[in-house]
Amino acid sequence: DTEVTQTPKHLVMGMTNKKSLKCEQHMGHRAMYWYKQKAKKPPELMFVYSYEKLSINESVPSRFSPECPNSSLLNLHLHALQPEDSALYLCASSQERTDRDTIYFGEGSWLTVV
Amino acid sequence: AQRVTQPEKLLSVFKGAPVELKCNYSYSGSPELFWYVQYSRQRLQLLLRHISRESIKGFTADLNKGETSFHLKKPFAQEEDSAMYYCALRAGSARQLTFGSGTQLTVLP
């Protein structure tokens, strides 16, 4: 199994809603990532978790709140988002061994904020 | 700080023609370079990494440290190669990737 699974595939939410994006991998990877990708733009790093601890937060607004309940799961809690937050949110994972590390991406969750 | 530059936003070639997608990087240390491909409405997939020195789907890429380049090449393009291609760099012991802006390749029949 070399898949990173993300749910939901599509999400429409209002600016006052609270929702969550979920990500799961069963490859035994110990690093997990959230990236944001706007249309026809490269992915931009948001957060990195290493061994279930937040190791990098790329100055992401607090309306995005990541959570890593265990080594296989990564959530992104969303609250009071703005329309400009509409994007494809990509989850990724990797093994955490420098010389053999490949980052695997999920299909993403398309988020629309109305 | 590291940076990845892909000078061509759009590239069109005819089927059977050679294709080269350019990637230049700036990083003071020893980088790890990757090419990722994203077909329409599909996930980002790893195509090549420089340490593997392998050929995937006929594509090759050589890291040229003197020119700080990692260009992606294929001698005979196929229509199914049409996709967005991202060059990416991982710096030192960092976990995350820094992506270039991407090149949309269209292979014409």
Side-chain angles (χ1 to χ4, degrees), chain B residues 26-45:
Chain B
S26 63
Y27 175 59
S28 55
S30 192
E32 219 181 327
L33 275 297
F34 304 82
W35 276 100
Y36 277 83
V37 59
Q38 193 169 31
Y39 300 101
S40 180
R41 308 290 289 190
Q42 293 188 27
R43 75 180 68 213
L44 208 55
Q45 303 171 38

Side-chain angles (χ1 to χ4, degrees), chain A residues 41-42 96 101-103 105, chain B residues 36 43 49 86 90 95 100:
Chain A
K41 297 288 187 185
E96 273 287 69
D101 232 353
T102 295
I103 296 181
F105 285 84
Chain B
Y36 277 83
R43 75 180 68 213
R49 55 191 304 181
Y86 291 103
R90 185 156 61 200
R95 297 290 90 227

Side-chain angles (χ1 to χ4, degrees), chain B residues 56-96:
Chain B
I56 304 292
K57 298 185 180 183
F59 285 97
T60 58
D62 288 318
L63 179 61
N64 185 322
K65 291 189 178 180
E67 295 184 357
T68 60
S69 69
F70 189 55
H71 303 326
L72 184 67
K73 299 176 186 178
K74 184 169 183 176
F76 308 104
Q78 304 298 314
E79 288 180 71
E80 55 265 30
D81 296 328
S82 296
M84 178 70 89
Y85 290 81
Y86 291 103
C87 183
L89 176 151
R90 185 156 61 200
S93 60
R95 297 290 90 227
Q96 69 274 21

Side-chain angles (χ1 to χ4, degrees), chain A residues 13-99:
Chain A
M13 61 185 291
M15 289 189 282
T16 57
N17 290 160
K18 279 187 182 180
K19 297 285 184 184
S20 297
L21 305 181
K22 297 184 184 305
C23 175
E24 192 168 0
Q25 56 85 16
H26 295 289
M27 295 179 275
H29 290 174
R30 303 315 298 267
M32 295 186 78
Y33 313 75
W34 280 115
Y35 281 84
K36 174 183 176 180
Q37 186 178 25
K38 293 283 222 178
K40 298 297 185 185
K41 297 288 187 185
E44 296 175 357
L45 183 69
M46 299 176 73
F47 303 104
V48 180
Y49 272 82
S50 177
Y51 291 88
E52 299 158 51
K53 288 185 171 26
L54 183 65
S55 63
I56 295 176
N57 176 342
E58 290 287 314
S59 303
V60 179
S62 59
R63 58 185 184 269
F64 295 92
S65 175
E67 179 199 17
C68 190
N70 60 56
S71 59
S72 300
L73 295 174
L74 185 66
N75 298 322
L76 186 62
H77 301 299
L78 314 170
H79 174 54
L81 295 194
Q82 304 297 310
E84 60 264 29
D85 296 322
S86 298
L88 178 66
Y89 288 84
L90 295 168
C91 176
S93 69
S94 65
Q95 281 186 338
E96 273 287 69
R97 292 186 303 167
T98 306
D99 59 345

